Amino acid sequence: MQKSKSPPLPSTPTGRIRHRRRWHSHEVVPDVSKLNGSLLLVNDQNKYRSMRIRTFSSLWMLGSVILILYLGHLYICAMVVVIQIFMASELFHLLRRAHEDKRLPGFKFINWHFFFTAMLYVYGRILSQQLVNTVTSDKFFYKLLSGLIKYQMVICYFAYIAGMMWFILSLKKKMYKYQFGQYAWTHMILIVVFVQSSFTVANIFEGIFWFLLPASLIAVNDVVAYFCGFFFGKTPLIKLSPKKTREGFIGASVATILSAFLLANILGRFQWLTCPRKDLSTGWLQCDPGPLFKPEYYPLPAWIPQWFPWKEISVLPVQWHALCLGLFASIIAPFGGFFASGFKRAFKIKDFGDIIPGHGGFTDRMDCQMVMAIFAYIYHQSFIIPQTNTVEMILDQIIRNLSFEDQEVLYLKLGQIFQ
Amino acid sequence: MQKDNDSGGPSTPSGLSGRLRRRKGSNEVPPEVVKANGSHLLVDDTNKYKSMLIRTYSSVWMIGGFAFIIYMGHLYIWAMVVVIQIFMARELFNLLRRAHEDRRLPGFRLLNWHFFFTAMLFVYGRILNQRLANTVTSDNFLHKLVTGFIKYHMVTCYFLYIAGFMWFILTLKKKMYKYQFGQYAWTHMILIVVFTQSSFTVANIFEGIFWFLLPASLIVIDDIAAYFFGFFLGRTPLIKISPKKTWEGFIGASFATIVSAFVLANILGRFQWLTCPRKDLSTGWLLCDPGPLFKPDYFTVPQWVPQWFPWREISVLPVQWHALALGLFSSIIAPFGGFFASGFKRAFKFKDFGDSIPGHGGITDRMDCQMVMAVFAFIYHQSFIVSQSVSIEAIMDQILMNLTFKEQRALFMKLEQIIQERSTTPSSAITNPRDYEVISDRENVLHIATRNVKMNGSSLGERSLFYQYSGMPWRLVSFHQLYHLLEAFLLVAFKFKDFGDSII
């Protein structure tokens, strides 16, 4: 989700204007060209009005995101699910052709069938522990739920097989190619949409911090890249997106890494953001956030002048991890945006949808976020959890979550490693 | 992988010879030899016999090779699956490639194989990480290497994938965008189809060759039986996509498959080589206790069976009932894999996926129904045979990935201590089974007292009270004491109540 930067040459014809309207950007229409930043925005009523619309919708989005963050984990998950549904419906519509669709009644329901199967599977796996922890009061409900979790794989598999059989039985002569293309397209969409959103949800329940920090870094990267390109942009970056410049890219990288360091410090002080949520409740959270969020104090070196107000800096250990996240967000996450740009060029579409006024659809907003969400989850699983998970914590998990028989089975399995 | 059954009606002319679908181990009858109610027999034609000879020869060779590999063991079967995978992927990659565009995109094919090897690393790393850990315990250096691999497995595969992703974006060429994106999507779909089923197959193999051999054999039997039933009795067509399949073939094959599932499970279940799981990556002989599923139950034959029947009692392995479910699936739902492949070939207008096997098509032609069956066999096994909860897997994964060898050993010792303590101390204070029953009979008791009710851990009650009393997730010890106190109190209270009732 990069900001578009104006090209340096004044001869760009208006035909190649790609109105990439982005999230709270100060969009510059390309015929107002810049040469070393010497020209300023042309005083044009239309441009200001469109900028106002865009800023207004951006602020509205920002405000609602902050409200949802305040409300808690469950509401954030609900927001993720809603965004998923919108993204999926935009993408499903994209490569559908109205002519063929008229001859295939009921075919688009197959898409939604697969969507709900995927949702059942993904959220069932990720939230099974949390669900079990929530529903403990009623005996019947608990049995129902644990039965569902136990047979979740079978249920989802049969739902998928039902969808596949439905697809095969609905194949119509002379429409085979279109139908198979749609089937493949559906699978690709669902994979793209669900992998990243399931990882996002898993991260949310580990602590809102691990969802908020990567998302903010992408936003910061976009905004700073826009402004750096606006003022300093000269050499183009990649053929796919001709308006991106190297200066914008490098400036944004520096700014993103710095702000990752600072933002981690600020966000890490709130228990609401750093505590994991073990069940599906919505109440207040209190916990021991773990060694990652306890500040360490470093005394400032001697060469800092006297008027500097702080004598020692407090650094949360998580800030070093945030540096890695910032590095990824600035260097690799923009490739998600390039992928989406290339895709739109390949299929000659301007935007994925038009839900958000002044911007495109949801997929336009989420293209870089998707790559970042996956990385944030994998980073968390591989580097954060091993640091915070000690023998005691795993032992507690074993005692708390497994029955006695299961514990003995686990004991036997562990024993095989040491033979 | 259904057999082609000749459709009824003498009006199918020789023009249909173009749609000849040659299948494994079949006595394929070309459509010129048309059947009407099975009245015609094979026309005496040397060409047809020669092609049947070729096909039979390659089928026998395949079956022989397959049996040899089964004898060699789990690791070799895994290698066979990997080889089949590579061939399938190569056939499918080549399928939708267009030579003209490919010349202008050098190195684009390498991208496919890069994704292929990333997928292989990911899938087999996940499935076999526990067995890998079990194998390498002797050498310290190798163990560190293996532990490191397991720990950073996900990150490694992710960065390999991202590298491929970035490579793809950087090689996008103007005016070829649509072709390249199409190829990218096609690569992903192929890899998903090929790797899902083969990874599940490998997981099943290490649970016991039986769980790989039985489903595969059922598909083969279903094909052959469907061919012969259609050959002799075939009349009403089954589905528009495959005009040569008939209802009679389908129903006859279903019946035959279910019966042979029952019988085959009995035969295969008697060999320990097939039923024992492999816990590590060794290749030696296996000895184990196969478990209650493979111990025969004896049923006496009922009275109405005539005297000349040689057996007075039948031994049935409990696994045979599960095999019935597998047989049902393979006869009714697995053929849809074949229909899918047929429809796909019609959609993109080619006759076969490849030509690796003489007399048959490519490897994908052989494997289309097997793929659907392999996925089902794995899911069935995980859900109904292995009654293991997802939690054990998750915690085992955590232990393998997050702890060093020393920490794993420490955890092991502590767990040992806990289990021993629990078995020696009369911790529950429920020594009299009568009291235990009394409590469990009462439905209105707080269910923390019903320890013999098998829910997800007897720590169930702990959790419900726990969240009301304490906000600290890691402080559990004091709550254990509270739990036992409450339990003892309830026990005593109900004892008194009954005592009081019995007096009155």
Side-chain angles (χ1 to χ4, degrees):
Chain A
M1 200 176 64
Q2 293 278 359
K3 295 286 173 294
S4 311
K5 303 166 194 36
S6 53
L9 302 165
S11 56
T12 44
T14 49
R16 302 269 311 147
I17 290 177
R18 295 190 139 250
H19 288 288
R20 300 254 186 85
R21 294 169 291 242
R22 299 283 179 199
W23 192 12
H24 55 76
S25 69
H26 303 285
E27 174 73 47
V28 176
V29 178
D31 28 291
V32 183
S33 54
K34 308 243 159 315
L35 280 172
N36 305 330
S38 47
L39 289 170
L40 300 172
L41 272 176
V42 170
N43 193 5
D44 187 352
Q45 289 295 79
N46 276 344
K47 293 192 197 88
Y48 278 122
R49 190 168 356 127
S50 56
M51 179 171 78
R52 250 205 306 278
I53 294 177
R54 249 172 276 129
T55 316
F56 182 70
S57 56
S58 315
L59 286 176
W60 201 89
M61 283 197 295
L62 196 65
S64 52
V65 166
I66 291 179
L67 174 70
I68 291 179
L69 282 175
Y70 174 76
L71 284 179
H73 304 76
L74 209 57
Y75 291 89
I76 303 178
C77 284
M79 175 183 83
V80 169
V81 168
V82 164
I83 290 180
Q84 243 183 288
I85 294 180
F86 276 109
M87 275 179 71
S89 88
E90 276 175 18
L91 290 167
F92 283 156
H93 277 129
L94 212 52
L95 292 195
R96 179 173 300 156
R97 281 179 278 176
H99 172 67
E100 272 89 345
D101 249 14
K102 255 176 260 149
R103 300 174 56 189
L104 291 168
F107 195 64
K108 52 180 194 174
F109 291 116
I110 297 185
N111 286 344
W112 289 106
H113 172 89
F114 283 124
F115 180 87
F116 283 112
T117 304
M119 188 173 282
L120 191 69
Y121 176 68
V122 151
Y123 290 118
R125 273 195 88 80
I126 290 187
L127 296 179
S128 58
Q129 199 54 51
Q130 269 87 1
L131 271 173
V132 161
N133 287 350
T134 313
V135 186
T136 50
S137 44
D138 190 14
K139 201 171 179 175
F140 165 72
F141 209 55
Y142 185 81
K143 274 208 167 113
L144 184 71
L145 199 64
S146 44
L148 274 180
I149 290 176
K150 192 169 182 216
Y151 297 113
Q152 180 221 5
M153 235 177 149
V154 192
I155 295 173
C156 294
Y157 179 71
F158 276 106
Y160 178 81
I161 287 284
M164 188 181 91
M165 288 167 68
W166 181 5
F167 168 73
I168 291 177
L169 294 171
S170 72
L171 284 174
K172 252 191 176 152
K173 246 189 149 87
K174 301 199 192 321
M175 316 245 347
Y176 290 153
K177 192 164 183 177
Y178 174 72
Q179 287 179 292
F180 272 98
Q182 289 290 307
Y183 189 77
W185 177 234
T186 302
H187 279 66
M188 286 302 294
I189 293 174
L190 289 178
I191 288 164
V192 164
V193 167
F194 272 95
V195 164
Q196 56 97 9
S197 68
S198 67
F199 286 174
T200 309
V201 168
N203 262 359
I204 289 171
F205 280 97
E206 294 287 338
I208 302 183
F209 180 86
W210 299 105
F211 158 71
L212 191 53
L213 183 67
S216 328
L217 288 179
I218 296 285
V220 165
N221 191 48
D222 275 354
V223 173
V224 175
Y226 177 81
F227 280 114
C228 284
F230 191 99
F231 290 117
F232 308 116
K234 222 175 302 182
T235 44
L237 180 62
I238 191 172
K239 282 193 306 291
L240 268 178
S241 304
K243 290 195 200 147
K244 303 202 191 312
T245 58
R246 274 188 202 268
E247 289 83 8
F249 187 74
I250 294 174
S253 308
V254 169
T256 306
I257 294 176
L258 270 178
S259 59
F261 198 75
L262 291 173
L263 212 58
N265 196 336
I266 300 172
L267 293 179
R269 300 181 187 278
F270 297 95
Q271 270 202 1
W272 179 244
L273 300 178
T274 58
C275 288
R277 175 78 78 174
K278 293 291 173 197
D279 57 7
L280 297 178
S281 63
T282 51
W284 204 249
L285 267 185
Q286 264 171 348
C287 66
D288 170 21
L292 271 183
F293 293 98
K294 292 198 172 56
E296 291 168 8
Y297 296 94
Y298 296 95
L300 281 181
W303 46 264
I304 300 275
Q306 287 300 330
W307 50 261
F308 203 69
W310 300 286
K311 286 296 130 197
E312 58 176 17
I313 318 180
S314 76
V315 172
L316 307 177
V318 77
Q319 291 181 249
W320 309 113
H321 289 291
L323 280 183
C324 293
L325 288 178
L327 199 67
F328 187 89
S330 52
I331 297 187
I332 302 184
F335 278 83
F338 299 154
F339 187 87
S341 305
F343 187 82
K344 286 192 274 194
R345 269 177 207 260
F347 293 93
K348 297 185 176 34
I349 50 188
K350 187 181 289 191
D351 275 325
F352 282 104
D354 52 7
I355 292 190
I356 309 180
H359 310 266
F362 269 105
T363 317
D364 290 295
R365 298 280 71 75
M366 301 294 288
D367 47 17
C368 287
Q369 297 277 6
M370 291 199 281
V371 178
M372 189 70 197
I374 299 178
F375 174 72
Y377 175 78
I378 290 182
Y379 187 84
H380 182 79
Q381 290 293 104
S382 306
F383 297 106
I384 309 284
I385 287 192
Q387 273 199 347
T388 53
N389 241 358
T390 59
V391 175
E392 272 68 31
M393 284 167 56
I394 295 189
L395 205 59
D396 274 332
Q397 270 193 11
I398 293 176
I399 294 175
R400 190 158 35 109
N401 294 344
L402 298 183
S403 67
F404 293 152
E405 288 80 3
D406 281 348
Q407 287 173 19
E408 278 165 30
V409 170
L410 186 70
Y411 172 73
L412 287 170
K413 280 190 143 194
L414 262 183
Q416 282 165 353
I417 300 185
F418 300 111
Q419 274 169 2
Chain B
M1 202 173 66
Q2 291 278 2
K3 292 287 173 294
D4 286 321
N5 311 308
D6 279 333
S7 49
S11 58
T12 44
S14 52
L16 278 180
S17 56
R19 308 253 333 131
L20 200 64
R21 299 253 188 90
R22 296 169 288 246
R23 299 282 178 199
K24 173 161 67 144
S26 67
N27 303 324
E28 175 70 48
V29 178
E32 294 103 274
V33 185
V34 156
K35 309 249 158 310
N37 306 328
S39 49
H40 291 253
L41 299 171
L42 271 176
V43 170
D44 196 6
D45 183 355
T46 37
N47 270 346
K48 294 191 195 85
Y49 279 122
K50 204 195 315 172
S51 55
M52 180 170 76
L53 214 61
I54 294 177
R55 248 170 277 127
T56 314
Y57 181 70
S58 53
S59 314
V60 166
W61 204 88
M62 280 197 292
I63 292 180
F66 186 65
F68 175 68
I69 291 180
I70 300 262
Y71 173 76
M72 293 290 287
H74 304 75
L75 214 55
Y76 290 89
I77 302 179
W78 177 26
M80 175 186 82
V81 168
V82 170
V83 165
I84 290 180
Q85 247 182 285
I86 294 179
F87 276 106
M88 271 179 75
R90 194 164 67 128
E91 276 176 17
L92 292 167
F93 282 155
N94 282 331
L95 214 49
L96 291 196
R97 175 175 303 155
R98 280 178 283 176
H100 173 68
E101 273 87 347
D102 247 13
R103 248 174 272 141
R104 302 176 53 191
L105 290 166
F108 196 63
R109 294 195 332 176
L110 286 176
L111 196 63
N112 286 346
W113 290 107
H114 172 89
F115 283 124
F116 180 87
F117 285 112
T118 304
M120 189 173 282
L121 193 68
F122 176 68
V123 151
Y124 292 125
R126 269 199 89 75
I127 290 186
L128 298 176
N129 58 359
Q130 217 166 308
R131 284 162 176 100
L132 202 60
N134 287 354
T135 313
V136 190
T137 47
S138 46
D139 191 16
N140 208 13
F141 167 71
L142 208 57
H143 189 270
K144 277 211 173 98
L145 196 70
V146 165
T147 323
F149 171 71
I150 293 178
K151 235 177 147 171
Y152 298 112
H153 161 254
M154 229 175 155
V155 193
T156 318
C157 295
Y158 178 72
F159 274 107
L160 282 175
Y161 178 80
I162 285 286
F165 178 72
M166 287 166 70
W167 180 5
F168 168 72
I169 290 178
L170 294 172
T171 60
L172 283 174
K173 251 191 175 152
K174 248 187 148 95
K175 301 199 194 314
M176 316 238 356
Y177 291 154
K178 192 164 184 177
Y179 173 72
Q180 287 180 291
F181 271 97
Q183 288 289 308
Y184 189 76
W186 177 234
T187 301
H188 279 66
M189 285 304 292
I190 293 174
L191 289 178
I192 288 163
V193 164
V194 166
F195 273 95
T196 311
Q197 54 97 10
S198 69
S199 69
F200 287 172
T201 308
V202 169
N204 262 1
I205 290 171
F206 281 92
E207 294 288 338
I209 302 182
F210 179 87
W211 299 105
F212 159 71
L213 192 54
L214 183 67
S217 325
L218 288 180
I219 295 285
V220 172
I221 291 174
D222 187 65
D223 275 355
I224 297 179
Y227 177 80
F228 280 114
F229 275 98
F231 190 100
F232 290 117
L233 309 169
R235 214 174 313 178
T236 43
L238 179 61
I239 192 171
K240 283 195 301 296
I241 300 180
S242 304
K244 290 195 199 147
K245 302 200 192 314
T246 58
W247 274 103
E248 290 82 7
F250 186 73
I251 294 174
S254 308
F255 182 69
T257 308
I258 294 175
V259 166
S260 61
F262 197 76
V263 171
L264 207 60
N266 196 335
I267 299 173
L268 292 179
R270 299 180 187 279
F271 297 95
Q272 271 203 2
W273 180 242
L274 301 179
T275 57
C276 288
R278 175 76 77 172
K279 292 291 175 201
D280 55 11
L281 298 178
S282 63
T283 50
W285 203 251
L286 270 184
L287 281 173
C288 67
D289 171 21
L293 270 183
F294 293 98
K295 291 198 175 47
D297 292 331
Y298 293 96
F299 296 96
T300 49
V301 169
Q303 293 298 73
W304 48 263
V305 177
Q307 288 299 331
W308 52 260
F309 201 69
W311 300 286
R312 286 290 115 207
E313 61 176 18
I314 315 180
S315 76
V316 172
L317 307 177
V319 77
Q320 292 181 246
W321 309 113
H322 289 292
L324 279 184
L326 287 178
L328 199 67
F329 185 89
S330 78
S331 54
I332 297 189
I333 301 184
F336 277 84
F339 299 154
F340 188 89
S342 305
F344 187 80
K345 286 192 274 195
R346 268 178 208 263
F348 293 93
K349 296 185 179 34
F350 43 81
K351 189 183 292 191
D352 275 324
F353 281 103
D355 52 8
S356 318
I357 310 180
H360 310 266
I363 295 201
T364 316
D365 289 295
R366 297 281 73 74
M367 302 293 289
D368 47 17
C369 287
Q370 298 276 5
M371 293 199 280
V372 179
M373 190 69 198
V375 174
F376 175 72
F378 175 76
I379 291 181
Y380 187 85
H381 183 80
Q382 290 294 105
S383 306
F384 298 108
I385 312 280
V386 173
S387 54
Q388 183 173 290
S389 58
V390 183
S391 324
I392 294 189
E393 284 300 325
I395 293 190
M396 200 64 201
D397 266 341
Q398 274 191 358
I399 294 176
L400 277 178
M401 284 196 347
N402 299 341
L403 300 180
T404 64
F405 188 67
K406 285 205 185 63
E407 287 172 341
Q408 287 170 3
R409 191 173 267 277
L411 181 70
F412 181 65
M413 306 286 196
K414 289 202 178 136
L415 194 58
E416 191 171 20
Q417 246 180 343
I418 292 179
I419 291 183
Q420 276 172 357
E421 261 173 46
R422 195 187 305 137
S423 56
T424 53
T425 59
S427 56
S428 61
I430 299 177
T431 48
N432 189 348
R434 196 185 145 274
D435 296 330
Y436 197 9
E437 270 164 49
V438 164
I439 292 181
S440 64
D441 278 343
R442 299 184 186 279
E443 288 303 308
N444 55 354
V445 168
L446 267 182
H447 49 254
I448 60 170
T450 60
R451 284 248 309 240
N452 63 347
V453 175
K454 187 96 178 296
M455 301 185 185
N456 182 17
S458 52
S459 49
L460 159 69
E462 292 174 357
R463 273 199 298 277
S464 62
L465 286 184
F466 163 79
Y467 277 106
Q468 293 168 18
Y469 285 102
S470 160
M472 294 291 221
W474 318 125
R475 307 276 182 265
L476 205 47
V477 176
S478 58
F479 191 77
H480 263 296
Q481 295 165 350
L482 183 66
Y483 166 77
H484 292 315
L485 214 58
L486 201 51
E487 207 175 39
F489 167 71
L490 282 168
L491 171 62
V492 167
F494 279 108
K495 256 178 135 165
F496 271 119
K497 182 167 187 294
D498 281 351
F499 183 59
D501 284 345
S502 64
I503 289 179
I504 300 170

